[in-house]
Amino acid sequence: MTTDVMTRPAVLILLGPPGAGKGTQARMLEESFGLVQLSTGDLLRAAVAAGTEAGKAAKSVMESGGLVSDEIVIAILRDRLAEPDCAKGVILDGFPRTAVQAEALDALLSETGQKINAAISLEVDDDAMVTRVAGRYTCAGCGEGYHDTFKQPQKAGTCDKCGSTEMKRRADDNAETVASRLAAYHEQTAPLITYYGDKGVLQKIDAMGQIDEVANGLAAIVKTAAP
Ligand code: AP5
């Protein structure tokens, strides 16, 4: 059974290379619009930490900067999309990343009569991405993201959101792995810009500005694409 077009939950996709700001912006959109951030990177890191079969298979691939198999990622995404909170609408952060994943998403959404409201490409320069990724850290308590230079907590070492003093850095945030992740993006994910352009849902945004400037531009797109 399909729902009426006016009541369908929004589906937004954020495309962009490592460090483009997908996670940062998805969290801000989640707060502003009441949508749910679905990060396949976060879901995979949780699977690795939990030691599931999928996590065991993904671990070494993620450490090398390559892409985890479509089969594993699609299964993880499918399960997460079926959870009740996703009825509020979702922001896909880091998915799809290959043509196979994009087609699988189309098939999943068609089962529920949903459509993609917008696929938004965060346009950035590769050179700046290494600096962004190398300086990134997150709160171990709530996952809020920070940066050594670009986004520091108000009180050094203390999360603005939850007050935790435990911060962590990702194992794959080193220059060598970032280079592999950038290469994977250009080879396998960037072609999706054309895929969504052909579907008429592509939007592009300059993501080289400050975090709040990019957020304002994205909010304007979301208000139009998912009113
Ligand atoms: P994933 O976790 O998705 O990582 P990624 O795509 O490489 O993206 P990042 O999280 O590094 O960057 P981001 O764009 O979210 O930037 P952020 O907002 O944090 O994937 C990790 C791995 O999992 C992959 O390599 C792959 O192995 C696997 N994987 C995941 N999904 C997969 C899939 N679908 N298929 C197959 N494999 C998959 O910002 C970065 C930093 O910059 C932060 O510190 C932030 O504060 C700062 N910042 C953000 N915006 C700005 C700005 N405008 N100005 C200055 N600083 C900024």
Side-chain angles (χ1 to χ4, degrees):
M1 193 177 81
T2 59
T3 48
D4 181 83
V5 68
M6 296 305 289
T7 60
R8 284 175 188 160
V11 178
L12 301 163
I13 297 170
L14 295 186
L15 294 168
K22 302 182 297 296
T24 302
Q25 297 297 336
R27 287 174 71 88
M28 293 171 86
L29 289 173
E30 192 173 50
E31 284 181 15
S32 311
F33 291 90
L35 302 167
V36 175
Q37 174 197 16
L38 295 190
S39 158
T40 42
D42 287 348
L43 293 170
L44 287 165
R45 281 184 285 278
V48 171
T52 65
E53 285 307 312
K56 285 177 196 161
K59 188 171 186 288
S60 59
V61 181
M62 293 174 78
E63 284 170 355
S64 73
L67 292 184
V68 175
S69 75
D70 289 328
E71 189 186 4
I72 287 176
V73 177
I74 291 165
I76 283 182
L77 195 273
R78 184 194 300 117
D79 290 350
R80 182 65 186 88
L81 257 184
E83 289 179 26
D85 62 333
C86 292
K88 292 191 278 188
V90 295
I91 310 158
L92 296 172
D93 158 11
F95 184 96
R97 258 171 152 104
T98 64
V100 170
Q101 292 178 21
E103 285 160 13
L105 177 64
D106 290 343
L108 277 174
L109 295 178
S110 75
E111 286 171 15
T112 51
Q114 286 176 269
K115 66 179 179 64
I116 294 162
N117 297 72
I120 308 167
S121 171
L122 305 187
E123 306 276 305
V124 289
D125 301 335
D126 278 6
D127 291 349
M129 294 310 99
V130 178
T131 310
R132 282 197 193 173
V133 170
R136 167 174 47 197
Y137 59 96
T138 55
C139 169
C142 69
E144 181 67 5
Y146 295 99
H147 191 278
D148 291 329
T149 307
F150 306 128
K151 187 186 169 196
Q152 297 166 333
Q154 287 170 7
K155 183 180 171 198
T158 303
C159 179
D160 295 340
K161 285 271 159 67
C162 75
S164 170
T165 53
E166 195 184 336
M167 301 287 173
K168 59 182 183 180
R169 292 185 190 259
R170 274 170 46 180
D172 60 346
D173 279 353
N174 56 72
E176 190 182 331
T177 309
V178 173
S180 301
R181 286 158 58 198
L182 274 170
Y185 172 78
H186 288 295
E187 282 165 25
Q188 296 177 77
T189 308
L192 297 184
I193 292 172
T194 304
Y195 181 87
Y196 289 116
D198 291 346
K199 283 182 174 291
V201 294
L202 180 71
Q203 304 261 6
K204 292 186 180 180
I205 185 161
D206 178 1
M208 287 303 295
Q210 295 195 353
I211 292 173
D212 284 344
E213 291 169 358
V214 179
N216 289 339
L218 271 174
I221 291 174
V222 173
K223 279 180 192 158
T224 307

